[in-house]
Amino acid sequence: MTTDIAAEAAAITAGLRALAPEPTAVPIIRTSRPFYGARVGDLRATASGWLRGHRQAAPAAVAALAERLWQAGIREEQLVACFLLAGDRAALAATDPERVRGWCALLDNWETTDQLGMNVLGPLVALDPAARFGLLQAMAGDPWPWTRRTALVACTRLARAGDAARWWPGVAELLLALAGDHQAALPKACSWVLRSWLGPCPAEVAAFVDRHAGRLPALAVRETMATGSKRPPRPAGRRPAPAGRR
């Protein structure tokens, strides 16, 4: 059965407007993009509900719907696009990674950037890291800071690949390339990547942080060490503060 992409996108838009009907400036995140004000949980439900109601939709049709929603340039529609692809592995596989890179032109905040990196680009690269890791390296050198953050966030999902350890050296190089970049909250993203790789490569990450602590963002070093159970011992004689008195 043929899917009318325009009609389906219009129906999703109407549903999102009903959740929060007045587009305005986002108070939750800093962005110049319009938004409706719907909660992320409702957006996930919108995507999963559509997928349940359209089980016969071809993967290419779902990918095309996600493309149309993303290009609307509205927060809620962009997030639903991410959740549609995250919920349909075949549709994700039918999505061109280079096309996703083009989507980054509409990014200007951490929320949509991270959802795109986590739910779309990262899983796409993980489907074929040998062929696609180079895309992350290219994006890490992109002039647009939100494209660079998308590439970095995508590495958190690559840590879940079956042969993740094979890709750690490339991720480490990417981290060093962006270590001094403070745009688009990249220091926080560096921390996120390092902590995600503690699972598959704990010794390698610990050695990397020790070796490059002077180059890496201080926040990333501190949070990675804490996550890796390297917290300094509590000074003798000090007792934990009672709850509610920190």
Side-chain angles (χ1 to χ4, degrees), residues 10 34 36 64 85 93 135 139 160 186 204-205 210 214 218 234:
Y36 302 139
L85 294 177
L135 174 62
M139 290 174 65
R160 305 181 188 181
L186 278 162
E204 291 86 345
V205 172
D210 287 342
R234 188 183 304 278

Side-chain angles (χ1 to χ4, degrees), residues 33 43 77 96 103-104 109 116 131 148 150 161 171 187 193 195 204 227 236:
R33 304 237 58 87
L43 304 181
E77 302 195 30
D96 181 1
W103 289 10
C104 294
N109 66 85
L116 185 64
R148 301 197 296 272
T150 304
V171 172
V193 173
R195 287 180 285 120
E204 291 86 345
T227 303

Side-chain angles (χ1 to χ4, degrees), residues 66-83:
E67 166 81 21
R68 189 180 185 97
L69 290 169
W70 184 272
Q71 296 299 342
I74 296 173
R75 168 193 178 256
E76 282 78 2
E77 302 195 30
Q78 291 180 323
L79 294 184
V80 169
C82 292
F83 299 147

Side-chain angles (χ1 to χ4, degrees), residues 172-237:
E173 289 183 8
L174 194 150
L175 282 163
L176 286 177
L178 295 174
D181 193 334
H182 293 277
Q183 298 188 72
L186 278 162
K188 187 67 175 178
C190 285
S191 172
W192 187 6
V193 173
L194 285 166
R195 287 180 285 120
S196 71
W197 280 84
L198 280 170
C201 301
E204 291 86 345
V205 172
F208 175 79
V209 171
D210 287 342
R211 186 180 310 119
H212 300 290
R215 291 182 58 185
L216 294 168
L219 172 71
V221 173
R222 183 171 63 253
E223 292 187 344
T224 304
M225 292 179 68
T227 303
S229 300
K230 294 184 178 180
R231 299 179 188 275
R234 188 183 304 278

Side-chain angles (χ1 to χ4, degrees), residues 2-30:
T2 302
T3 302
D4 186 334
I5 302 300
E8 295 297 337
I12 289 174
T13 296
L16 295 175
R17 286 182 178 276
L19 289 171
E22 294 299 328
T24 184
V26 176
I28 304 170
I29 54 173
R30 292 184 178 182

